[in-house]
């Protein structure tokens, strides 16, 4: 029989959040062990219930949502998305024609990269990043070029580093704000600096804002499109995090700014939207329910709220571990602690994650899984109850105190 290999297109495609360690976790669970899975930002498995209104409206839609919809998505949902952005001061005008719904933001990232990139085109992506951006750039034949986010400056992107990486093949810049995995919320100064660079070099701006309402303390999220209304900007968002219905697979993308020069690319987006026929139609009705209904995330991120408390305990407990430091996350659902290489000599952070899983039954993701170069960071999901997180981080500390590679 002829051997079937994976295609060469997948050579540089990595997604370690659901990588090899997850298989080992499944094996441990099958053997009867309980594994604390802190690898995915999936609110549902940590007792976050789907808002009742969304569930109710989605169920109500099912009997009549059995046909394909328009490829971009149902008009009522696209209009609800337009209204959401009309409420944000300074957000440029959005036409419903420029709104695309997707089976999660993930599908829209894939579509965008496939429509945009030719072999060797370069995309600037943060390091660390949410790795789907890098993976889909590679799959689409592009070259991911990582710019550094500065841990000593609240993980804000380093503007000089961005500038130094621009070539005549650079087509777009990706911004993830609030950031996964660091929890950073970018300052106005940083965003203006990025917009200046994009202006100078005619870059397409791709702004992933899926955590825009998950903010702590006095953090303020500034949508990139408000900073760069004069640039072609694609803003990504969806229901997985703020509305806690990740399993419904429902996201959107809005296009703002000048379009005349980008007709070919936009035609490509429309073409790919047609080839996927349409996103799951009942989940499009969930968008309508979410955006026109009561939003309850505010209570969870408030100082008395569950997400706030969990962020606090994670950050405090991590910083208590000798040789571990963590920048306080200002948003999103993660912490990205650093293991001081002088104290913890880690050569292979994937092995560290594997060994921690086997010894403690706790599943984290290694920093290199987020396209961070050095094996000196881990990502922890801050979704479990504070007590569970506190205990898990204490066990991580005990484990690290005697761990050697
Ligand atoms: N973008 C970021 C920054 C994410 O963290 C995630 C999921 O964790 C996604 C996109 C994908 O979201 P969706 O569930 O909408 O596909």
């Amino acid at each position: 029989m002829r051997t079937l290999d994976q295609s060469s297109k997948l050579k540089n495609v990595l997604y370690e959040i659901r990588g090899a360690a997850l298989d080992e976790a499944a094996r441990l669970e099958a053997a009867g062990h309980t594994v604390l899975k802190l690898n995915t930002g999936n609110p549902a498995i940590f007792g976050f219930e789907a808002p009742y209104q969304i569930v109710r409206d989605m169920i109500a839609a099912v009997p009549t949502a059995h046909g394909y919809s328009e490829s971009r998505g149902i008009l009522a949902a696209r209009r609800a998305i337009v209204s959401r952005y009309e409420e944000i001061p300074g957000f440029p005008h959005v036409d419903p024609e420029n709104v695309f719904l997707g089976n999660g933001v993930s599908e829209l990232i894939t579509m965008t990269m496939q429509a945009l990139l030719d072999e060797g085109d370069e995309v600037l992506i943060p390091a660390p990043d949410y790795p789907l951006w890098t993976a889909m750039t590679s799959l689409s034949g592009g070259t991911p070029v990582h710019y550094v986010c500065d841990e000593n400056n609240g993980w804000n992107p380093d503007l000089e580093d961005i500038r130094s990486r621009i070539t005549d093949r650079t087509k777009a810049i990706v911004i993830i704000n609030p950031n996964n995995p660091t929890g950073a919320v970018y300052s106005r100064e940083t965003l203006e600096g990025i917009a200046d660079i994009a202006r100078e070099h005619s870059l397409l701006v791709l702004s992933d804002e899926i955590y825009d309402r998950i903010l702590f303390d006095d953090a303020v999220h500034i949508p990139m499109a408000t900073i760069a209304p004069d640039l072609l900007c694609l803003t990504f968002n969806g229901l997985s995090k703020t509305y806690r219905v990740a399993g419904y697979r429902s996201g959107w993308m809005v296009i703002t700014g000048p379009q005349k020069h980008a007709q070919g690319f936009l035609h490509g987006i429309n073409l790919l939207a047609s080839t996927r026929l349409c996103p799951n139609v009942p989940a499009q009705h969930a968008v309508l329910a979410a955006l026109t209904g009561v939003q309850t995330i505010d209570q969870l991120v408030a100082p008395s709220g569950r997400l706030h408390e969990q962020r606090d305990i994670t950050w405090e407990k991590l910083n208590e571990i000798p040789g571990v430091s963590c920048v306080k996350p200002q948003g999103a659902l993660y912490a990205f602690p650093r293991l001081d290489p002088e104290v913890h000599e880690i050569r292979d952070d994937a092995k560290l994650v594997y060994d921690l899983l086997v010894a403690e039954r706790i599943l984290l993701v290694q920093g290199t899984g987020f396209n961070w170069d050095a094996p000196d960071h881990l990502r922890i999901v801050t979704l479990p109850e504070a007590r569970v997180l506190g205990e898990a981080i204490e066990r991580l500390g005990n484990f690290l105190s005697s761990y050697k590679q």
Side-chain angles (χ1 to χ4, degrees), residues 72 100-114 132-133 234-237 250-254 269 273 276 279:
R72 271 174 291 204
F100 290 79
L101 279 87
N103 296 309
V105 167
S106 306
E107 185 188 35
L108 297 165
I109 293 175
T110 309
M111 270 167 52
T112 301
M113 292 316 196
Q114 294 279 20
L132 191 67
W133 284 103
L234 273 52
T235 301
F236 298 80
N237 211 322
S250 202
W252 63 82
M253 162 176 101
V254 303
I269 296 264
R276 53 101 198 238

Side-chain angles (χ1 to χ4, degrees), residues 15 17 40-42 102-109 129-130 132-133 176-181 208-211 236-241 245-247 249-252 334 379:
Y15 194 77
I17 295 171
T40 56
N42 184 5
N103 296 309
V105 167
S106 306
E107 185 188 35
L108 297 165
I109 293 175
D129 73 340
Y130 173 61
L132 191 67
W133 284 103
I176 304 169
N177 178 39
N179 190 268
N180 176 7
D208 183 340
E209 304 184 358
I210 197 167
Y211 300 100
F236 298 80
N237 211 322
L239 300 188
S240 293
K241 314 294 175 175
V245 288
R249 311 305 302 122
S250 202
W252 63 82
Y334 315 93
R379 189 190 75 166

Side-chain angles (χ1 to χ4, degrees), residues 98-237:
N98 288 320
V99 178
F100 290 79
L101 279 87
N103 296 309
V105 167
S106 306
E107 185 188 35
L108 297 165
I109 293 175
T110 309
M111 270 167 52
T112 301
M113 292 316 196
Q114 294 279 20
L116 181 70
L117 298 174
D118 275 321
E119 204 68 35
D121 283 343
E122 294 175 8
V123 181
L124 291 162
I125 302 175
D129 73 340
Y130 173 61
L132 191 67
W133 284 103
T134 297
M136 290 306 112
T137 299
S138 296
L139 182 66
S140 308
T143 304
V145 175
H146 293 106
Y147 64 83
V148 174
C149 296
D150 183 358
E151 191 164 14
N152 296 319
N153 182 25
W155 283 115
N156 271 269
D158 180 332
L159 299 177
E160 279 319 300
D161 192 65
I162 295 178
R163 274 186 194 285
S164 73
R165 291 175 195 273
I166 291 182
T167 73
D168 52 8
R169 294 302 304 266
T170 313
K171 257 190 159 166
I173 183 160
V174 173
I175 301 154
I176 304 169
N177 178 39
N179 190 268
N180 176 7
T182 64
V185 179
Y186 298 165
S187 67
R188 179 172 291 278
E189 199 188 352
T190 297
L191 294 172
E192 282 175 349
I194 294 174
D196 285 344
I197 296 171
R199 239 172 241 127
E200 266 169 55
H201 298 276
S202 284
L203 303 183
L204 169 67
V205 177
L206 302 172
S207 192
D208 183 340
E209 304 184 358
I210 197 167
Y211 300 100
D212 68 340
R213 305 264 160 106
I214 305 183
L215 300 167
F216 304 113
D217 308 328
D218 50 3
V220 176
H221 173 257
I222 306 173
M224 190 59 187
T226 65
I227 301 281
D230 56 325
L231 298 177
L232 184 60
C233 178
L234 273 52
T235 301
F236 298 80
N237 211 322

